[in-house]
Amino acid sequence: CQITVQTKDQELIEVNSAQGAGRNSGDLCARGFFGFRAASHPSRVTQPLIRRNGVLVEATWEEALVFVAEQTNRLKLAHGPQAFGGLISGRCTNEELYLFQKFMRLTIGTNNLDSSARYGHVNGVQAMRLVQGTHRWTVTFEDIVQADVLLLVGTNITESNPITGLKVKEAVKKNEATLLTIEAIQPAVGTISNISNLSQQHVCVAPSQFGAAVLGLLKAIVEGNHVDSTIQQRMPDYVSAVSQAVQRLTWDDLALSTGVSRESFVQMAASLGRGRRVVVLAGQTLLRSQGGYGICLNLLDLLLLTGRLTARGCGFAPLAEENNDQGAVEMGAVAALLPGALDLTDQDARAQIIRAWKEDLPLAEGATLIDMIERAQAGIIKGLFVVGENPVGSLPPQTGVKEALGKLDLLVCQELFLTETAALAHVVLPAASAMEKAGTFTNTEGHVQAVRPAIDPVGDSRPDWEILSAFSVFMGAPLEYGDAKEILKEIRAVIPGYGSLGPTPIPPAVDTAAINRYVNEGYRRDLANRYTLPARSVRPEGTVELGLVQSLFHSGKLSTYSKGLLQIEPSGSVQMNPLDAAQYGLSTGDRVRLSNSRGEFTTTAKVFDRVPEGLAWLPDHFAQEALQLFDCVIDPDTKVPSYRTAFVSVMKTT
């Protein structure tokens, strides 16, 4: 969102947004209004730290840079560039994301790099790339407002993406759009607005059954003759294959999986069939769930079958969580992609980058987030550069992430705070916050927007791009820039068409050649698997399905350093349906122990009507101790780690 920061004597005072400004048009959520105070938290890392005799102690910048350069060159000489990896946050600017992947690929010489987009956003992006040949939405916020049918799947949009949620509400309230929702949330009146209250047709299922609900909708579309006649004529084999796949699904099995009647799916399919401007939004609850990539492909199938994928004002819109996850993908800050979200294996794309950089690119396939953890555990990766990411605080202990990072010969963190990951580092370098640097961010719909420093960097902190550039100089492979604008100029030269993108770009059009590849061949590879009902997890007696969710008042763990937001929501609590709470003898405020075979965790209970029976929610931002309860499943195609739900026993404690 576009924000205006009020400062006085290098102190952050207030944040607001002018009406009509930016893509948010002056609207801000609680995180936007009050999250800025994290930047001035007293726990900020303000000096470089080097581990000496097992303890992190303050050092000068020169000492830290020399240490990192010497250790990196020593390890590189002994083990080669593949002994390194890098992780970066989707909260960094485009310029920093671009320079990070360039640093890893040229200065270090490896494609072992990843970003927070791997936690879920990659599922939506890779689905779009396969089916429609774009890595961005083909719709805009204006298309959402002007849509006559909106389908939301796993969004919990009011709390997870509040400003996009306002566009959905405007479409429904002002323009009488038909809102269809497949969400793990119940209609209920409460202090926080609930998107399912506005839904004309709502399907409430657990996140583990989103895939089954989407299949039910596809079956109703095929059987209700809502497949576009032009599509049937142009793509007969594809339509036939999908039709046969849904015919193999029985309504009884779908009802058993989802708890939803055939009639509900039939009504929803009819609404979609009538829509002229149809937008499908997929949220983090879906994107981070097991099978999220396949479900995204099925939603694109839905738009394709109904003739809406290429129609004006229609499209598929995966919602990012972090403010620049989209930028991370576009800058090439993921293992398999180069800048411009082009395949690392694409010879033309490689040649284009080599011409621009005047250096060869590493050939070896890059390791993703989980790959790097496994390689560190095995002693293959010796050094890791981490920029604003916190895998120890984000991933379940079952991944072995803490032990893996503990085995590294060199762990370098660029951070605002001494996170769980930074606490293990050999070197911690103080990074400037978004309030203290210049650059650009790319929002969820693909709009590139500029940021300027509101205050000077706190203490001895530096923007991440400056730190990366300094590393490269000390390592003898300089990537030098005068300022962030110089990096942006290079980005525009390297990525075709990027120069024409700005605050109000025209969204990319669906690539007809990509669709043809998909309907002729692409869908065949995994259609049978995608059109099979997900295994139905039978909830053991006396348990609830615990899910990690977003909160309106926090985003990731950075916002938990914000004084104002902590006053509203100071800690996590398990949120439960009144019927479940009564079964366990719980009331709001009671202490409760959640446990399974992996461990146990004690927290406070809160009772909410909007939580469906049999489910329980825990805010992701306070879930560090609870992560031990979750297992992690890796998507075989996108390598996205899924660990959002777990069955737990519930016991009231005193």
Side-chain angles (χ1 to χ4, degrees), residues 403-458:
E403 297 82 357
L405 299 196
K407 290 184 177 182
L408 293 168
D409 291 346
L410 180 65
L411 175 58
V412 181
C413 288
Q414 297 172 208
E415 258 300 349
L416 301 178
F417 300 99
L418 205 62
T419 62
E420 292 91 345
T421 302
L424 302 175
H426 298 96
V427 179
V428 181
L429 297 168
S433 75
M435 295 289 170
E436 301 149 32
K437 60 189 175 186
T440 58
F441 291 115
T442 305
N443 81 344
T444 193
E445 60 170 343
H447 284 250
V448 180
Q449 303 179 106
V451 289
R452 292 179 297 170
I455 57 172
D456 294 334
V458 171

Side-chain angles (χ1 to χ4, degrees), residues 166 457 609:
L166 290 178
D609 288 335

